[in-house]
Amino acid sequence: LGPASPAIAEARELLEAGRFQETLDVVQRGLDAPDVTDDELVELYRLQGLTALYVGDEALARGAYEKLLQARPDFELPRSAPPKIRALFAKLKEDLKNRRVLPVTLQVDPIPDPTPGETVEVRATLRDMALGARARLFYRRAGAQAFSSVDFVRDRSQPEQYRAVLPSYELPVESTSYEVEYYFEVVDAAQRRLAGRGDPFHPLLFQVASRNTPAATLTEGQGRPWYKSPWVWVAVGAVAIGGTAGVVALTSSEDRGRVPITIRVEDAIP
């Protein structure tokens, strides 16, 4: 099925009538609408780029066609397109091929130790998002096998601002404190990673306080026992290796991002 957005049909009519500013307004309204499909976005950005060139706004046209090509690198203009548009489009395709199109950037702060039993809202700034790209927060209870995820949703009033909400039932109040591993990731329509902070093998971490220990009382460096820091474990392991007279087997795993250490101590005293 072709695009079904009412804004697309209205923008086409306005463009044919030469009412360019009204066309841009309608296109923007279509881009801001909820639940816009990728096919609709492609057509809306095509109309925006075409109209922007008609009014002499090359920067807006370039931005529109960049967003289109980031998601649809094989998109081609119709042969009837004006020469100026075809020249700009060819230049953008060459930039994309040589990876000179701006990459996606992600700005997000680590999640502080939250209050148990309450939702956690995470805000992020995402720039130069491609069509079809998605930003997610992945999380799991420390020690669990699989990650769950929630999507970042764009703030309609601030296009570069996104928010994700970690539901309260994922952070229950318990008698003992526990830890949650998480990471942020932006992927394109083909699930290729475009940007992120942390990953499944090197996740970030926050601690949820126990029932009798409010999270607000945990200060940096006190909220997490020293022996739960992976860097401390590496340091302790190195000391153990240096002071052991037995046999040490040291292996490294790039996939896991950790250094498992096996130590066997043999009594060398007769």
Side-chain angles (χ1 to χ4, degrees):
L1 297 178
S5 170
I8 291 176
E10 184 179 355
R12 286 172 176 166
E13 291 178 2
L14 290 169
L15 181 59
E16 290 177 3
R19 297 158 64 180
F20 301 131
Q21 188 55 54
E22 291 177 68
T23 303
L24 290 175
D25 293 340
V26 170
V27 167
Q28 190 59 54
R29 190 177 72 218
L31 292 171
D32 291 337
D35 302 323
V36 183
T37 67
D38 286 352
D39 287 338
E40 291 170 344
L41 285 172
V42 166
E43 179 62 8
L44 286 166
Y45 279 123
R46 186 191 71 82
L47 290 169
Q48 187 182 55
L50 177 61
T51 309
L53 282 181
Y54 281 142
V55 298
D57 192 341
E58 188 167 326
L60 177 60
R62 181 181 178 90
Y65 284 127
E66 276 185 4
K67 291 183 175 67
L68 190 159
L69 283 172
Q70 281 177 329
R72 302 284 173 83
D74 58 345
F75 182 87
E76 294 291 345
L77 289 172
R79 293 185 179 182
S80 58
K84 185 176 181 180
I85 296 175
R86 296 187 66 83
L88 174 63
F89 200 75
K91 178 64 168 60
L92 287 175
K93 292 201 75 169
E94 184 65 21
D95 287 349
L96 185 66
K97 180 180 178 181
N98 296 323
R99 300 190 180 277
R100 290 197 294 265
V101 173
L102 292 175
V104 176
T105 59
L106 167 67
Q107 293 179 347
V108 62
D109 292 327
I111 300 174
D113 292 342
T115 301
E118 294 187 4
T119 59
V120 174
E121 182 176 298
V122 182
R123 291 196 170 270
T125 301
L126 287 159
R127 296 186 176 91
D128 303 305
M129 283 281 281
L131 286 178
R134 299 177 67 184
R136 291 178 179 173
L137 163 62
F138 291 84
Y139 62 93
R140 70 180 178 189
R141 190 79 164 255
Q145 185 173 6
F147 282 90
S148 300
S149 68
V150 291
D151 286 344
F152 278 90
V153 179
R154 183 164 65 94
D155 186 339
R156 294 293 179 183
S157 62
Q158 298 175 292
E160 293 183 346
Q161 301 302 310
Y162 290 72
R163 62 189 289 269
V165 176
L166 191 58
S168 59
Y169 60 78
E170 297 286 11
L171 306 172
V173 180
E174 298 186 359
S175 58
T176 58
S177 62
Y178 56 92
E179 292 175 331
V180 174
E181 297 174 331
Y182 68 97
Y183 66 96
F184 307 104
E185 186 171 76
V186 183
V187 298
D188 63 11
Q191 300 303 304
R192 294 170 295 196
R193 183 178 170 110
L194 302 175
R197 185 162 186 179
D199 59 54
F201 307 117
H202 307 85
L204 306 174
L205 194 72
F206 65 74
Q207 186 178 58
V208 181
S210 64
R211 180 181 294 107
N212 299 321
T213 307
T217 65
L218 297 176
T219 58
E220 187 174 355
Q222 296 178 340
R224 188 167 297 113
W226 67 270
Y227 55 82
K228 290 190 177 181
S229 166
W231 296 109
V232 173
W233 271 116
V234 171
V236 172
V239 171
I241 291 171
T244 302
V247 178
V248 177
L250 175 61
T251 59
S252 173
S253 171
E254 273 186 43
D255 290 341
R256 298 295 299 174
R258 299 178 180 176
V259 182
I261 299 172
T262 304
I263 300 174
R264 183 170 74 252
V265 180
E266 296 179 356
D267 190 357
I269 302 175

